Amino acid sequence: MKIPVPEVVECFGSIDNALVNVVRYCNVIIDKAKKVCPNTSVNDVPGYALEFCRKTLMQAMTLVKVANEREDYNTTCSLVRMLADNVSIIRLIYAETNTEEKILRHLLYVMDGVSTRIEYLKDYPKEYDGKIPRETYEALCVQVQEAKNNALGCVDFCTNAIKARPLYFAHQLSIDEIVKCRNWKYKTIDKPKKKDAYTWNEMYQLLDVKDKGYMFSYFSQYVHGLSISNIALNDMDDFETPLAFAFSLVGWVFNFLRKEYEPYIGAYTMEDVLKIVPQR
């Protein structure tokens, strides 16, 4: 059932148009902020966060495309859940007002992902079994070893960076435990165990997107192919709900970008305005 929001209809005509226009505005902010924060490496938190936001906005645009062009309700809902996960990570890590904790969570988050890569690569390369040309096998061995070395180097960098922060000297024992389990979701530094970490549902609640947070877990029904994902939905009005959830998430990113970066990017130009509202 389609329940129109008067403000959205008046300004944009439809919820998908509203979502696309907010994404355009966000991308203009990111483009301008990139001139101030051009570095996207792990050791540049503002630049890394910008690239994270860019990736998340690309997911939102893909979601609109899947809904409008493919009319694929299951994938649309799965993408809403992906979007919610990414935005909740931005909220927990990069919207943190305490700079020291922001940097700590960021480095732990990077370590967690890279450590997973190391775990998957630890048993490779396998011994040569003759199923592929030896030259190909040897090239793959070199590639795997380089990936391992890069991942291990990243973990070492993050560990050393954490131990160089003032926060580490104030909470050394607790942070050592947090680093050990890569617990970037910790609730308080003095309770470093995984059991004291935020759940995904709790992270959704932190977004405070007009009481929608509890619903994002529901979209896992579509991610994991549970029974409700088999219900046939053929009416395009059915897409209003997941698109509305996506709009609320992109709206959160928009507010985050304005708060964190807009003070440093200078005035908007006419070229910027045309990117936000393209001429017809």
Side-chain angles (χ1 to χ4, degrees), residues 2-15 18 240 247:
K2 184 175 183 178
I3 304 176
V5 179
E7 293 86 351
V8 170
V9 173
E10 181 180 353
C11 294
F12 304 106
S14 66
I15 190 68
E240 285 284 307
F247 178 70

Side-chain angles (χ1 to χ4, degrees), residues 61-78:
M61 292 298 285
T62 299
L63 187 154
V64 174
K65 195 177 186 70
V66 168
N68 288 344
E69 296 184 18
R70 304 301 300 175
E71 300 181 16
D72 183 343
Y73 189 82
N74 283 304
T75 303
T76 299
C77 289
S78 298

Side-chain angles (χ1 to χ4, degrees), residues 194-250:
K194 283 268 187 178
K195 65 181 181 180
D196 296 309
Y198 286 105
T199 65
W200 283 106
N201 194 49
E202 288 172 329
M203 287 169 63
Y204 301 147
Q205 300 299 324
L206 294 176
L207 293 172
D208 192 26
V209 286
K210 296 184 178 179
D211 299 323
K212 294 185 179 72
Y214 73 96
M215 280 294 295
F216 293 125
S217 292
Y218 173 80
F219 285 104
S220 65
Q221 296 272 338
Y222 300 94
V223 176
H224 301 301
L226 301 182
S227 63
I228 199 168
S229 68
N230 296 319
I231 298 174
L233 294 170
N234 299 315
D235 191 336
M236 282 305 294
D237 286 350
D238 293 324
F239 286 81
E240 285 284 307
T241 298
L243 286 169
F245 279 108
F247 178 70
S248 68
L249 290 165
V250 170

